[in-house]
């Protein structure tokens, strides 16, 4: 069984495209081979800046011969119908089989499909793959029609077996497949002839090419961390940068350089961002001081001077970059510390549009300021401090540093607020009010930060709901799903109780654009959206959608923290045998009661009296309901959902015993009515905890 080796050798492939391209090559080729009848044992794909490689092991040397049975018309069908079937099958009349079936005599064609050699199939599949490769961006070059991410120079395609290697006959746009490749662009320029994947990878390594991106990443990280450790320093982790740099080199050589003393006073985040964005450098930190003091760069080659010239050039370029950052930092500090201070930046935001229907950034800040003051008492913050924090939270958007590095917004605002003499709470809010940006981010916990973060997110949600710019499908250009999840997490994880419906309605009345419908309809629509996001949030914590629906149907469903507590308590209760079986008993009671009410045209909701009870099971259920009601009512008022759910679950036994021993629809009309009213008590008491009709099962 032969092994297949493919290499597509080109000019440099952008690092961000390499991993996806390797996966696409593997998927397209292996799917094509299997569809053509060539199965295989295993496959693996690799990428470097200049090549995509695929190895397929244990492949069949030919596709199997097949006999296809094709059903035709009836034997007595019109001659033209039979002739058409014969043309499609490529057979003559005497080659057809006539079989008896329940529908009469039917003609069948047995079409032999001989197997094809692997080389022929591989050539077809690879040509189709190359010509239809799903690059995000591609180009044409020269006079050919082939499109590739960068000019494609050569194709290596061989089938190797114990008796030797065979080149697959294939020519695409003047490029003929062969059994040769090239090593490192500078360190090994000779042509390399290969006979198998093992031979290929070994010769590439000797030619200064590390084929496996994971091996390149490990080499970079290990060398960088060892080098830093030897100097009493540590490399700042950055998985994204590590993956990108590994995609820029075929033979990684790690070098550590110096940062000029003039720049060591810059905030570490500024140094880290500037070096990462402009130079693809790793930051090296002094763990004792927290300062970024050196950098690590990764060269693509060895040099006679051990990288001294490369480092000198990098340090020169870095000095120029950091000089710009230093200028921005010092200029911004002068403004922050001036008499006008950060208000200068806030005033500039009156010329920056937030949204054409929602006004400028300055108008957004004004709304945030008002709302933060209103929310402050609810979250335990000082109202004046919350308003001040909201006023300056986005001021750094006008700063030169954030203009250059937008990803530093908020963080720089915190630095500038401290420089301007603002309180720690105001400075923290500038950085924290954007949080959480993702499901794994921490939420703000300081009261002032909470007030500003909620104000920012609720303003965004109510504003876009008012102008009917809601997320649709997978499209969410204004990150409203993230804002909704942020509101949920901030409230729930800080155990804050808030009547969101009232807050939303109040803010809709102050929105710069009138709501598309009534304010009440818009508020309910937005609250429904928040409930949908809450389901996603709780699903990750093991709480089912139907349980959340059962709790959403209850009063105070706009208090998300209360809603989560109720849902989690119900979820835990339903995991017990009593809880699970209680649901069945409740649904049985509810179904019998609903059918009787529909049939009789009355509502059985009052008047169950123990004096009409005829069995011990009835009397026991009366007593159990009295006990449960006495426990549930105060527990619900105290929001002690665990106690309420436990009391509800305790009804499981008496309800089961009642249904086992008692016939509800008694011939005695008085007894029947009394028992139906007893079922109504079950429904009323259980429904005071959650709407159990919405529970599945």
């Amino acid at each position: 069984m032969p092994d297949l080796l493919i290499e597509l050798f080109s000019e440099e492939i952008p690092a961000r495209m390499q991993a996806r391209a390797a996966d696409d090559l593997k998927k397209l080729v292996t799917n094509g081979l299997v569809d053509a009848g060539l199965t295989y044992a295993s496959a693996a794909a690799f990428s470097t800046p200049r090549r995509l490689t695929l190895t397929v092991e244990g492949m069949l040397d030919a596709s199997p011969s097949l006999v296809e049975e094709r059903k035709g018309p009836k034997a007595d069908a019109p001659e033209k119908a039979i002739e058409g079937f014969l043309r499609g099958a490529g057979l003559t009349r005497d080659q057809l089989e006539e079989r008896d079936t329940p529908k009469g005599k039917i003609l069948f064609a047995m079409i032999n499909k001989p197997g094809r050699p692997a080389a022929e199939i591989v050539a077809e599949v690879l040509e189709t793959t190359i010509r239809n490769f799903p690059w995000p961006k591609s180009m044409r070059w020269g006079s050919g029609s082939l499109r590739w991410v960068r000019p494609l120079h050569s194709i290596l395609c061989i089938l190797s077996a114990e008796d030797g290697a065979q080149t697959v006959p294939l020519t695409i746009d003047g490029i003929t497949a062969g059994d040769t490749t090239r090593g490192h662009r500078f360190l090994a320029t000779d042509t390399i002839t290969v006979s198998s994947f093992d031979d290929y990878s070994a010769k590439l390594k000797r030619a200064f090419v590390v084929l496996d991106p994971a091996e390149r990443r490990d080499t970079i990280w290990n060398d960088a961390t060892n080098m830093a450790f030897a100097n009493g320093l540590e490399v700042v982790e950055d998985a994204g940068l590590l993956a990108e740099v590994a995609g820029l080199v075929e033979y990684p050589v790690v070098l550590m350089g110096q940062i000029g003393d003039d720049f060591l006073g810059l905030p570490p985040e500024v140094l880290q961002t500037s070096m990462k964005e402009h130079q693809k450098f790793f930051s090296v930190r002094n763990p004792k001081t927290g300062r970024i003091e050196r950098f690590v760069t990764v060269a693509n080659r060895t040099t006679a001077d051990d990288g001294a010239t490369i480092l000198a050039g990098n340090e020169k370029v870095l000095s120029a970059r950091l000089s710009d950052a230093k200028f921005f930092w010092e200029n911004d500090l002068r403004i922050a510390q001036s008499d006008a201070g950060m208000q200068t930046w806030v005033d500039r935001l009156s010329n920056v549009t937030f949204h054409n229907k929602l006004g400028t950034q300055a108008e957004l800040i004004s709304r945030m300021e008002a709302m933060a003051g209103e929310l402050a008492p609810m979250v335990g913050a000082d109202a004046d401090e919350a308003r001040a924090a909201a006023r300056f939270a986005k001021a750094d958007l006008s700063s030169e540093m954030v203009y250059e590095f937008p990803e530093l917004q908020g963080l720089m605002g915190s630095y500038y607020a401290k420089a301007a003499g603002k309180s720690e709470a105001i400075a923290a809010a500038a950085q924290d009010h954007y949080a959480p940006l993702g499901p794994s981010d921490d939420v703000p916990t300081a009261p002032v930060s909470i007030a500003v973060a909620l104000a920012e997110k609720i303003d965004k949600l109510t504003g876009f709901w008012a102008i009917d710019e809601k997320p649709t499908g997978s499209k969410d250009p204004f990150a409203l799903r993230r804002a909704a999840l942020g509101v949920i997490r901030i409230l729930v994880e800080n155990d804050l109780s808030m009547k969101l419906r009232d807050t939303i309605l109040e803010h809709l009345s102050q929105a710069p654009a009138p709501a598309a419908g009534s304010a009440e309809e818009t508020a309910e629509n937005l609250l429904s959206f928040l409930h949908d996001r809450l389901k996603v949030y709780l699903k990750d914590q093991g709480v089912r959608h139907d349980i959340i629906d059962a709790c959403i149907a209850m009063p105070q469903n706009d208090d998300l923290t209360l809603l989560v507590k109720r849902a989690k308590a119900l979820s835990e209760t339903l995991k017990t045998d009593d809880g699970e079986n209680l649901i069945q008993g409740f649904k049985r009671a509810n179904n019998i009661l609903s059918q009787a009410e529909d049939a009789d045209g009355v509502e059985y909701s009052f008047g169950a009296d123990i004096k009409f009870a005829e069995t011990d099971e009835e009397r026991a259920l009366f007593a159990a309901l009295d006990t449960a009601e006495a426990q549930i009512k105060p527990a619900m008022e105290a929001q002690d959902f665990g106690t309420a759910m436990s009391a509800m679950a305790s009804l499981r036994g008496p309800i089961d015993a009642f249904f086992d021993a008692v016939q509800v629809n008694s011939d005695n009309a008085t007894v029947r009515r009394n028992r139906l009213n007893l079922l109504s008590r079950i429904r009323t008491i259980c429904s005071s905890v959650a709407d159990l009709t919405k529970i599945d099962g």
Side-chain angles (χ1 to χ4, degrees), residues 84-247:
F85 177 65
L86 290 173
R87 281 195 303 273
L91 301 176
T92 60
R93 181 68 173 81
D94 59 344
Q95 292 176 300
L96 299 181
E97 292 183 15
E98 189 174 305
R99 300 179 192 171
D100 289 325
T101 72
K103 294 184 178 181
K105 293 183 181 296
I106 302 292
L107 298 176
F108 286 85
M110 307 302 292
I111 304 172
N112 292 314
K113 291 189 172 182
R116 300 165 61 205
E120 181 181 326
I121 294 173
V122 168
E124 289 181 2
V125 169
L126 184 55
E127 179 167 5
T128 300
T129 297
I130 291 173
R131 291 193 179 279
N132 298 282
F133 204 81
W135 292 110
K137 290 184 179 181
S138 58
M139 61 181 290
R140 287 191 297 109
W141 61 96
S143 58
S145 60
L146 179 65
R147 300 188 68 89
W148 201 246
V149 63
R150 296 290 186 271
L152 183 64
H153 290 312
S154 66
I155 301 170
L156 184 155
C157 188
I158 60 173
L159 290 168
S160 56
E162 292 181 359
D163 57 351
Q166 168 194 0
T167 300
V168 173
L170 171 66
T171 300
I172 301 177
D173 232 39
I175 304 172
T176 300
D179 60 357
T180 62
T181 185
R182 301 179 197 173
H184 194 279
R185 183 186 288 274
F186 307 114
L187 303 177
T189 57
D190 294 338
T191 299
I192 302 169
T193 302
V194 301
S195 58
S196 66
F197 176 71
D198 289 341
D199 181 46
Y200 168 79
S201 57
K203 287 180 176 176
L204 278 185
K205 186 156 285 190
R206 289 196 295 271
F208 302 96
V209 175
V210 180
L211 183 63
D212 189 348
E215 184 180 347
R216 297 197 300 275
R217 288 195 298 270
D218 290 344
T219 297
I220 293 168
W221 186 248
N222 290 335
D223 289 355
T225 52
N226 289 339
M227 198 174 290
F229 180 77
N231 288 273
L233 305 171
E234 62 185 15
V235 182
V236 177
E237 291 191 36
D238 191 326
L241 179 60
L242 180 60
E244 183 177 8
V245 172

Side-chain angles (χ1 to χ4, degrees), residues 335-338 340-347 392-393 395-396 412-414 416-418 420 422 430:
I335 293 175
Q337 294 170 344
S338 67
M342 297 176 72
Q343 186 63 42
T344 302
W345 290 330
V346 175
D347 294 341
F392 299 115
D396 64 343
M412 298 313 301
S414 176
Y416 297 144
K418 291 176 184 176
K422 308 297 181 186

